[in-house]
Amino acid sequence: MEKARKILDIAIMSVIYSLIVVLVNLVVIFLFTQDMIQILYWLSFITLIEGGLGLIAGGGSVLYSPIFNKAFEKIFHSEPWDFKRQKRTEQQALKWIITGSLLIIEALIISAI
């Protein structure tokens, strides 16, 4: 029950985040052009790019291995990874990945219109 509730919360927040991103994109694009075809074209294009960036950011934040851990510690003088930090990063990355996936799906739906 607890796990299902967490998954539902993450899914709902990801849908809200992705819709907010699409609405902000729509408002910004509408300020620059009034043509409906151009709005749909640019909206699907920008949403697709943002979805891809969300997937890259989520996947990149989960990247963890002993080799990268040592490199990041030496280069960026960061603290060593422990189990708690890894779990927290995975939870944040899951939100990025789900939101990025939803943005890509929304971009495909917009482009089909």
Side-chain angles (χ1 to χ4, degrees):
M1 186 70 164
E2 177 79 20
K3 192 169 187 171
R5 179 71 179 160
K6 277 185 171 180
I7 292 171
L8 186 62
D9 287 343
I10 290 173
I12 290 172
M13 290 308 295
S14 295
V15 168
I16 291 171
Y17 293 153
S18 67
L19 290 176
I20 289 172
V21 168
V22 170
L23 287 175
V24 168
N25 288 342
L26 184 62
V27 169
V28 170
I29 293 168
F30 188 73
L31 292 174
F32 291 106
T33 183
Q34 310 294 308
D35 184 27
M36 188 58 142
I37 300 297
Q38 288 292 322
I39 290 173
L40 290 176
Y41 168 74
W42 283 107
L43 183 63
S44 67
F45 181 69
I46 291 173
T47 305
L48 186 65
I49 289 174
E50 289 171 343
L53 290 174
L55 288 174
I56 290 170
S61 64
V62 173
L63 182 68
Y64 175 76
S65 72
I67 294 172
F68 288 116
N69 184 17
K70 282 295 181 189
F72 289 146
E73 285 179 31
K74 297 293 182 190
I75 295 171
F76 300 115
H77 305 291
S78 65
E79 62 186 56
W81 285 69
D82 59 352
F83 182 73
K84 284 177 142 179
R85 186 173 176 203
Q86 177 67 25
K87 284 307 237 180
R88 188 177 55 231
T89 303
E90 286 176 359
Q91 289 173 352
Q92 292 171 349
L94 182 63
K95 293 175 188 172
W96 278 93
I97 291 170
I98 293 173
T99 304
S101 300
L102 288 172
L103 284 170
I104 290 175
I105 291 169
E106 291 167 1
L108 294 173
I109 291 171
I110 291 169
S111 67
I113 293 178

